[in-house]
Amino acid sequence: MTKRTKIDARGAHCPGPLMELIAGLRLVEKGDEIEILSNDKGSLKDIPIWVQKAGHALGSIEELQEYYSIVVEKVKT
Amino acid sequence: MTKPLSIILCSEEHEKIQMAAMTATIAAVSEREVSVFVSMGAIFSFCIESPNGHRFSGGTFSKLMLEKNAPDALDLLKQGREFGKLSLYVCSMALDITGIDEAALIPNLFDEVIGLTKFLADSEDSQLTVF
């Protein structure tokens, strides 16, 4: 069963949210998801491009009130 | 395969060290091999106790980064080493000129003390950037 972990990186400046995502992905199993919350506008483009380069999968991107929610599935170990 | 990235970091300005650390770390975690050569005044920021009395010299943007808790440049480099292929080298000439002992540098950050000739030889097929 897919497990989802939420990481609240709101308030962290670039590249903080990305680094928190990378650290988080190391702690979960293949197939699990991380939902990262960020209010850094750069994360909207930075995280998807990193996910693609690193070989993981982008679940969803949501623009909420004053922050973004980005879901990433761990594909590679 | 993406071209490796080589960075020569010689400025003691916080803004340049921060930008070099961000560039090195993001490239390293994005499946790119990165080598950083620390020389000249940049070496002061990599000492356990900075001879200048403060880790970073900088201008308005440096003050803002410190006030707003921007990710620390040295922490970023440590993360780049942990999560990606990032190697850091310290310049033998900078150690000689400053008299700084290798043991006075932040531990577990540098791979080796080398000279510029060796760094450039190893960087022949890399994209080279100087900060």
Side-chain angles (χ1 to χ4, degrees):
Chain A
M1 192 180 145
T2 303
K3 200 175 111 192
R4 181 179 288 190
T5 306
K6 189 181 277 193
I7 296 175
D8 191 349
R10 286 176 290 181
H13 299 283
C14 174
L18 174 64
M19 300 312 291
E20 289 194 40
L21 169 68
I22 295 169
L25 281 167
R26 287 162 64 95
L27 302 175
V28 301
E29 301 294 325
K30 195 173 162 183
D32 287 349
E33 292 177 338
I34 300 260
E35 179 184 10
I36 183 115
L37 308 182
S38 170
N39 53 0
D40 166 40
K41 201 169 183 181
S43 295
L44 269 182
K45 294 275 167 67
D46 288 348
I47 288 177
I49 198 118
W50 178 83
V51 167
Q52 188 190 23
K53 278 187 93 71
H56 297 295
L58 193 65
S60 62
I61 304 179
E62 265 188 283
E63 208 166 327
L64 302 162
Q65 278 194 332
E66 297 180 356
Y67 68 96
Y68 312 101
S69 157
I70 303 169
V71 177
V72 176
E73 184 196 337
K74 179 171 179 169
V75 174
K76 274 172 65 181
T77 48
Chain B
M1 192 185 154
T2 315
K3 213 174 188 182
L5 178 65
S6 292
I7 292 173
I8 294 178
L9 176 55
C10 45
S11 173
E12 56 186 282
E13 277 177 51
H14 186 190
E15 290 87 338
K16 288 190 178 174
I17 294 172
Q18 184 78 14
M19 201 63 221
M22 287 169 66
T23 304
T25 300
I26 292 172
V29 299
S30 302
E31 314 285 309
R32 199 162 175 192
E33 204 173 312
V34 180
S35 302
V36 180
F37 184 71
V38 176
S39 187
M40 303 287 171
I43 199 169
F44 298 125
S45 297
F46 290 83
C47 292
I48 298 168
E49 284 184 40
S50 176
N52 297 336
H54 49 270
R55 177 157 309 285
F56 298 119
S57 308
T60 308
F61 202 85
S62 167
K63 284 186 193 125
L64 285 169
M65 286 195 288
L66 294 171
E67 271 172 32
K68 302 211 167 175
N69 288 321
D72 180 78
L74 303 190
D75 287 343
L76 281 173
L77 290 169
K78 285 177 191 164
Q79 288 176 320
R81 286 174 63 82
E82 190 184 345
F83 302 151
K85 273 192 180 175
L86 172 57
S87 305
L88 268 115
Y89 302 97
V90 63
C91 169
S92 53
M93 179 274 273
L95 290 180
D96 287 344
I97 295 271
T98 57
I100 293 170
D101 192 87
E102 209 184 325
L105 299 172
I106 289 174
N108 307 318
L109 193 59
F110 290 100
D111 291 83
E112 219 179 329
V113 178
I114 60 170
L116 183 59
T117 308
K118 162 82 171 138
F119 185 77
L120 285 179
D122 291 345
S123 302
E124 275 176 6
D125 297 322
S126 305
Q127 179 187 349
L128 184 68
T129 308
V130 180
F131 286 90

